[in-house]
Amino acid sequence: MREKELRLALVCYGGISLAVYMHGVTKEVWHLVRASRDFHDETGSGTARASGSEPVYRRLLETIEQQAGLKLRVLNDIVAGASAGGINGVFLAQAIVTGQSLDPLTDLWLDRADVEILLDPDAQPLSRFTKFWAQPLVWMAAGRSGTIDETVDAETRGEVRAKLSRFVRARWFAPPFGGKGFDGLLLDALDAMEATERGPGLLPPGQPLDLFVTVTDFRGHPQKLRLHSPSEVIETEHRLTIGFSTGAQPAGHLADHAELAFAARSTASFPGAFPPFMVGELDDVLKERRRAWPGRDAFLARVLPHHAAAGTAAEAVLIDGSVLANAPFRPAIEALKNRPARRELDRRFVYVDPKPGLRSINVGSKANEAPGFFTTILGALSDIPREQPIRDNLETIEQRSQRIARTRRIVEALRPEVEAAIETLFGMTFFLDRPTASRLAGWRSKAQDKAAKQAGHAYAAYGHLKVAAVVDEIALLFARFGTGGHEAADGFRPRIWAAVSALGLDRVSEAGSGATEGVILFFRSHDLGFRIRRLRTLARQFTPIEEMADSPSRTEMTAMRDAIYDCLALYLDREIHDFYAPDLRAAAANPDEDMIGLLDRLAAARDLKRIDLVADDRIAEALAGLPKAARRTMLLAYLGFPFYDLATLPLLQGEGMEEFDPVKVDRISPEDAVAIRGGGVEATLKGIQFNSFGAFFSRAYRENDYLWGRLHGADRLIDIVISTVPPGHAIGPDAVAEVKRAAFLAIVEEEAPRLKAVPELIESLRDEIG
């Protein structure tokens, strides 16, 4: 039985009122990972729902296990979003981490994402005569192309016309929607989620979740750029990414509700509809509710470091994240580093685009006409930046995948030569010896020395690359001590390099004899990366071992896996700034601190010599429990790692990639999900009306889009899950169609009692599904 993880990195686009559709999609992601968690829950807690799509997903995973011999785990560990997609990303991440229900967000979108609730009280028209001269605009908007008559059910047309009238006659030359009211809705939904019955989190222990939302800094903040001449210039940067990670958080906790509301409100401050967001707005709402925000200053220093350093965080003006980054792939790609891998991986970037090919704001130019004056200006300011294709991001992912594939081919080509070198070095009989901690340490040291000497002059380049990687890792760590990022690390890097030079590490090797004593001591004290890469390499041997005719028992494999990941955690902990004592963190922030002494204190805090002994003991004990053939495979990988690392580290540009597999990209949109109805967006969604504000004008619109979001999400997620099945074990198209049919019917029957405004759609879907 093979084990594999399907890891989803979910990227949610902006879409204004199509946020309701995207909620339906993200809710299916939530149901899928809940079903997977329940499928793998060895305690038998059975927390998955007995109705809806979750039982269908569980049966699908059981079918894959029975027919393909593959035990598949599905998890969503990276979430990135912009604007409306950012809101949905925030709530999905909260549900995944805490085990809380996502249903309260459904209530928020269906019940309260309405123009009459979102309108700022000060913007409401005082009477039906207010701006009576705007009434022709209402008629024009309502009658254009028969919009209301053609797209709204007869019984709700009056509602839409009335709300459109009030909306157009509301306050002009100021955003119609209220910021404080929006803050309150977000806080209410988070509180309602917390009040639900809390289950276990939806990620395995030790698996971090990273959440990112994009924001636009309206006034911008200064950013240093280094040039040849002049040596430094200052430019204004407007892009911001607000990130959250569970890596340094208590189990089951993502962030304070105020911080999540800050992220959701700021990323969705759509220009012209909502006022720009400033932290004082949220402060006032929290004060009115008598709610504390204990980590406020630290949070602002982290997400607005330039403003906080200048003492102007309270004056920062934030607007919609989709203005400059509607498809936030980049932070999600960067989050692939340092992710634990417990089994074979299939990494997917899944992006949700609710309206591919359709503009968010239609500025009125026909395809066969040259744009006019205002059309050109409005298009340049709003549409073009927001709708820019994601080609650059996809090329980045493809280049990464190609580099990994190339490196894997090199590793496979080197394998016979490396294994022969190990057998020559130790002799064939050493595999018969029972591994002990002391033997493993001796074998490891001997293999590393042999690899370094055999590399000859090539070792110098490898050694310098490792020193540079260690310097970068320490610089980033010291920067995080002060809540800084890459820019702060630039300040530490020259000081660390000066200390490295003073220690005589400019020369990393003696001609043909491997590393110098000073470099060896430096690596033993600080080189976390080498140790982590070696353990990851060992973990990647599980798949070939499980495919052996004489494979170890489940108990033996579990013991080996636990040993590797327990040891890996010891080293990964030392990359986290919170691991270190406050006095060391304070010393690193002092620019007058002696850097050589600081490096010595860091080495003492890491205590890698002792940790290496602990790891040797755990690994040796687990190896001793494996059958001879499996133990031989593990030892060849472990002791051969220095040979592989010498060849592959330069190819990986100094980074050991934990997810050592190519990344595939999948899209979820109405254009891709055609199992029920073709025609794409225009045949299914209502929220595209009124320049994508349509769903704010009618509950019927919202119910329609939410239901189609769930159905389209199920359609595409089933495709994605089935695509992980190995060649030769594919599930037939008839069986796939039956799984989809079961999921669609389960969703419709589950939602029918809730969705009272679209009875015709419910009946139509029952007929179409069959």
Side-chain angles (χ1 to χ4, degrees), residues 507-554:
R507 187 178 181 86
V508 300
S509 66
E510 302 293 346
S513 59
T516 64
E517 288 298 322
V519 166
I520 291 174
L521 179 61
F522 182 72
F523 289 157
R524 285 178 176 171
S525 301
H526 293 291
D527 194 358
L528 286 168
F530 180 86
R531 294 163 167 92
I532 292 169
R533 293 194 301 274
R534 182 173 58 204
L535 287 170
R536 290 169 178 163
T537 297
L538 200 58
R540 286 195 288 271
Q541 306 310 307
F542 289 134
T543 298
I545 286 177
E546 288 169 346
E547 293 175 347
M548 290 179 175
D550 184 23
S551 62
S553 68
R554 183 181 182 87

Side-chain angles (χ1 to χ4, degrees), residues 583-606:
D583 60 334
L584 177 59
R585 300 204 297 267
N590 181 4
D592 298 324
E593 188 76 20
D594 172 51
M595 184 55 68
I596 293 179
L598 195 58
L599 292 177
D600 289 340
R601 291 178 63 181
L602 179 64
R606 285 178 161 169

Side-chain angles (χ1 to χ4, degrees), residues 640-663:
F641 174 73
F643 296 87
Y644 296 123
D645 203 47
L646 271 159
T648 60
L649 190 64
L651 295 175
L652 296 175
Q653 301 175 6
E655 299 176 359
M657 293 189 178
E658 184 161 355
E659 294 191 357
F660 204 65
D661 295 277
V663 174

Side-chain angles (χ1 to χ4, degrees), residues 10 13 16 105 150 159 170 184 301 375 380 409 450-451 476 507 584 646 651 657 712 744:
L10 193 68
Y13 284 18
I16 313 178
L105 185 59
E150 293 178 4
E159 173 199 5
T375 298
R409 286 194 296 269
K450 179 64 175 179
L476 283 170
R507 187 178 181 86
L584 177 59
L646 271 159
L651 295 175
M657 293 189 178
H712 287 167
F744 298 154

Side-chain angles (χ1 to χ4, degrees), residues 13 18 48 55 110 131 196 281 297 413 483 517 529 569 573 587 601 742:
Y13 284 18
L18 291 172
L110 295 182
K131 290 184 185 164
T196 61
E281 173 191 292
D297 293 342
T483 68
E517 288 298 322
D573 284 348
R601 291 178 63 181

Side-chain angles (χ1 to χ4, degrees), residues 22 231 283 422 573 606 613 622:
M22 285 189 287
S231 60
D283 288 335
I422 295 297
D573 284 348
R606 285 178 161 169
L613 294 176

Side-chain angles (χ1 to χ4, degrees), residues 89-101:
V90 166
F91 281 87
L92 175 62
Q94 177 76 345
I96 290 171
V97 171
T98 63
Q100 296 167 359
S101 173

Side-chain angles (χ1 to χ4, degrees), residues 538-707:
L538 200 58
R540 286 195 288 271
Q541 306 310 307
F542 289 134
T543 298
I545 286 177
E546 288 169 346
E547 293 175 347
M548 290 179 175
D550 184 23
S551 62
S553 68
R554 183 181 182 87
T555 300
E556 292 166 340
M557 287 301 293
T558 298
M560 189 75 241
R561 182 176 283 114
D562 289 347
I564 291 173
Y565 287 102
D566 287 348
C567 295
L568 186 58
L570 295 173
Y571 297 117
L572 290 173
D573 284 348
R574 285 156 172 77
E575 291 187 323
I576 300 173
H577 68 280
D578 287 346
F579 173 83
Y580 299 95
D583 60 334
L584 177 59
R585 300 204 297 267
N590 181 4
D592 298 324
E593 188 76 20
D594 172 51
M595 184 55 68
I596 293 179
L598 195 58
L599 292 177
D600 289 340
R601 291 178 63 181
L602 179 64
R606 285 178 161 169
D607 197 11
L608 292 184
K609 183 177 180 180
R610 181 182 64 83
I611 296 304
D612 288 343
L613 294 176
V614 172
D616 287 337
D617 187 62
R618 287 297 315 275
I619 297 297
E621 181 182 3
L623 285 171
L626 293 178
K628 183 173 65 175
R631 183 167 68 244
R632 181 179 184 277
T633 297
M634 283 288 188
L635 279 171
L636 284 171
Y638 192 66
L639 301 178
F641 174 73
F643 296 87
Y644 296 123
D645 203 47
L646 271 159
T648 60
L649 190 64
L651 295 175
L652 296 175
Q653 301 175 6
E655 299 176 359
M657 293 189 178
E658 184 161 355
E659 294 191 357
F660 204 65
D661 295 277
V663 174
K664 303 181 183 73
V665 181
D666 298 287
R667 184 177 75 171
I668 298 178
S669 82
E671 307 297 325
D672 313 313
V674 295
I676 300 175
R677 182 188 298 178
V681 180
E682 295 179 347
T684 54
L685 302 189
K686 307 278 192 179
I688 59 173
Q689 305 301 329
F690 308 137
N691 278 337
S692 298
F693 281 83
F696 293 147
F697 286 91
S698 170
R699 182 181 175 104
Y701 270 12
R702 296 193 291 278
E703 290 187 4
N704 176 90
D705 289 4
Y706 163 67
L707 183 54

